[in-house]
Amino acid sequence: METLEAEILIPTEIMEDIFSRLPIKSILRFRSLSKPWLLRLSSPSFTKLHSTRPHRTSLFISAHDRSARKQHLLSAPLDGEPVTHLMTLDYVDYYDITEAQHLNGLVCFALVKYCSGDDCYYAQIFVVNPSTHNIFKLPEQVPDFSNSRGCYLFGFEESKNEHKILIITDIFKSGTLEIMIYSMSDYSWRKIDVEPPIGFHWDSLAFKVDGYCISVCVNSVVHLLLLDTYDILGFDLRTEKFFIINAPQGVIDYEAQSNYYPDLIKINGCIGVVFDDRDHVLEKNGMDIWVLQDYENRVWVREIIIFPESLIKLGCPFPIDSVNMDEIIFFSFSKLSGNVINVHVYNRKSRCFKSVQLTPGHQFPLSRTFDFGHISCYVERMVPL
């Protein structure tokens, strides 16, 4: 009896729809099956389709090994899977790595080096997709910092679906500000000329020595905190113009009785202002956060977070990012518990905390010589580099 074998052909659109619902880790495995699979699952149409699906949030972690002078970059899902090692930078000191900033699936950080002399400054900027393990080093475009200071910002222009990196340089002698923008779509630097808002002086902009400014990107606008007035300086990536958002009155009143500076965080796509005031947290077992709920009308809403006593004992926790519209990630620089990293998730609806334990597994054991300097959230996406 003759056996007939029929090949079932599935339309490409249906195949892409099925695969777009898989986690990125599974898609990467299917890419390695053959060249046709690689091309199909790497196409712009598939990447765009995959971006419309629900995505899980993970953590990007920078761990410095002080005994070996190495900086390890790690990613950690919040669903209990082991920590993944992304890359290691050699001959790096603890303060060489700036805060990591994340937007739409990509993470940006800078490796900044200083020597004793003025002209020994240099910086390397990296953009990482922790989900695909792809890493891109920007071409160097660093101005002369011997008579200036600068910082690095990460932005995302939603209308163009484009990531951008900004270098803001404060020139001491001329009293001017120079801005360079790097586009991740055409991979090029360009210099722009901008005017400050009326009544604003560049001296109000706070530059930290490690090349990082306190900033949050929301609605295609990069927001920077001004440490003299606590107002917020916005830079619109679409119009390339600056404007001012006045600080909420509660922050101004709080500053009068606190010795701490506020921080900017992103909460459910909104700007948040928080004081990392250890004395206040220990005294009140709580923390105040001001959220800009209505961006157009500049309406701020104050939220009070109460900490359980068990969390206070671990050290003064501070918010690092929001997981989704209802949850905020808190981290405390407490010692390792065995081979486990503990982070705490606050639910804004239930007003309760839960503890999440991150385990590195056998491939990358943690060490007591590790210092966890930077932790931030990112949404897993297949954004190409």
Side-chain angles (χ1 to χ4, degrees):
M1 180 176 180
E2 185 178 358
T3 301
L4 298 178
E5 294 184 359
E7 181 180 1
I8 301 176
L9 297 178
I10 302 177
T12 302
E13 294 79 8
I14 297 179
M15 289 289 292
E16 289 188 350
D17 181 76
I18 294 173
F19 280 97
S20 68
R21 303 173 189 275
L22 296 177
I24 294 180
K25 183 182 294 187
S26 299
I27 295 175
L28 295 179
R29 287 200 296 264
F30 282 112
R31 277 183 177 181
S32 62
L33 290 178
S34 64
K35 188 174 182 180
W37 279 99
L38 173 63
L39 295 175
R40 179 177 298 174
L41 299 180
S42 304
S43 66
S45 62
F46 178 76
T47 301
K48 183 178 180 179
L49 178 62
H50 188 270
S51 67
T52 64
R53 305 303 187 193
H55 297 285
R56 69 177 182 178
T57 300
S58 296
L59 296 179
F60 178 83
I61 304 172
S62 174
H64 181 258
D65 188 347
R66 55 184 180 272
S67 65
R69 291 190 64 204
K70 294 178 181 290
Q71 196 82 20
H72 302 286
L73 305 182
L74 317 170
S75 68
L78 289 172
D79 56 7
E81 291 188 19
V83 174
T84 301
H85 177 253
L86 300 175
M87 66 178 294
T88 297
L89 300 173
D90 296 321
Y91 308 110
V92 176
D93 293 318
Y94 178 74
Y95 291 104
D96 291 344
I97 297 289
T98 67
E99 294 278 355
Q101 304 174 60
H102 71 95
L103 286 168
N104 195 37
L106 299 184
V107 177
C108 179
F109 69 93
L111 172 61
V112 183
K113 279 286 187 180
Y114 291 89
C115 298
S116 57
D118 288 336
D119 29 359
C120 190
Y121 176 100
Y122 75 91
Q124 296 174 324
I125 304 176
F126 297 87
V127 177
V128 181
N129 186 331
S131 305
T132 62
H133 295 200
N134 289 333
I135 299 171
F136 176 74
K137 177 185 173 184
L138 272 66
E140 294 183 12
Q141 184 65 36
V142 181
D144 179 13
F145 277 85
S146 58
N147 293 303
S148 63
R149 54 187 175 177
C151 68
Y152 306 88
L153 309 172
F154 196 34
F156 181 72
E157 187 175 348
E158 297 175 1
S159 60
K160 295 182 178 180
N161 195 35
E162 180 180 13
H163 291 82
K164 294 181 178 180
I165 296 93
L166 286 73
I167 295 182
I168 301 182
T169 311
D170 182 15
I171 310 299
F172 293 150
K173 292 182 179 180
S174 63
T176 60
L177 209 69
E178 180 179 280
I179 298 182
M180 302 287 297
I181 297 182
Y182 185 85
S183 170
M184 292 294 293
S185 61
D186 57 18
Y187 300 97
S188 63
W189 288 100
R190 63 184 176 90
K191 180 181 177 181
I192 62 172
D193 296 319
V194 292
E195 294 292 331
I198 297 176
F200 173 79
H201 299 284
W202 294 129
D203 292 340
S204 299
L205 190 58
F207 289 87
K208 294 177 67 176
V209 295
D210 61 2
Y212 170 73
C213 295
I214 303 172
S215 68
V216 165
C217 184
V218 172
N219 301 327
S220 301
V221 177
V222 180
H223 304 83
L224 299 94
L225 188 66
L226 307 177
L227 294 187
D228 57 348
T229 63
Y230 299 147
D231 289 337
I232 296 172
L233 179 67
F235 179 75
D236 196 318
L237 295 170
R238 297 158 295 191
T239 63
E240 297 185 348
K241 293 183 179 180
F242 284 103
F243 60 91
I244 294 290
I245 298 176
N246 293 327
Q249 186 60 44
V251 170
I252 299 174
D253 296 338
Y254 193 97
E255 182 272 337
Q257 48 185 313
S258 174
N259 296 322
Y260 293 81
Y261 289 114
D263 283 325
L264 279 183
I265 62 172
K266 185 189 295 187
I267 300 177
N268 186 26
C270 300
I271 303 170
V273 180
V274 58
F275 275 88
D276 182 18
D277 189 337
R278 178 178 176 83
D279 296 333
H280 178 84
V281 170
L282 295 177
E283 179 184 355
K284 304 293 185 180
N285 275 9
M287 176 179 289
D288 299 327
I289 298 180
W290 289 266
V291 182
L292 187 57
Q293 294 282 20
D294 189 338
Y295 194 91
E296 288 191 9
N297 297 309
R298 304 293 192 260
V299 177
W300 292 88
V301 176
R302 178 190 178 195
E303 295 187 16
I304 302 176
I305 298 177
I306 303 299
F307 298 115
E309 186 177 348
S310 59
L311 186 54
I312 294 291
K313 290 181 178 180
L314 293 176
C316 184
F318 62 94
I320 55 176
D321 222 332
S322 59
V323 181
N324 50 47
M325 62 184 303
D326 297 325
E327 295 182 327
I328 303 175
I329 289 285
F330 280 77
F331 182 70
S332 178
F333 284 102
S334 56
K335 294 183 179 180
L336 286 175
S337 176
N339 202 29
V340 174
I341 308 171
N342 288 300
V343 296
H344 311 278
V345 182
Y346 175 77
N347 189 291
R348 298 170 68 197
K349 285 187 174 181
S350 65
R351 297 187 177 183
C352 295
F353 281 88
K354 67 177 180 180
S355 178
V356 178
Q357 294 186 336
L358 308 177
T359 56
H362 300 291
Q363 294 183 348
F364 190 78
L366 298 179
S367 168
R368 292 285 180 179
T369 63
F370 279 18
D371 296 312
F372 296 95
H374 312 295
I375 297 181
S376 61
C377 299
Y378 70 93
V379 178
E380 295 188 355
R381 293 183 182 273
M382 294 183 58
V383 183
L385 284 177

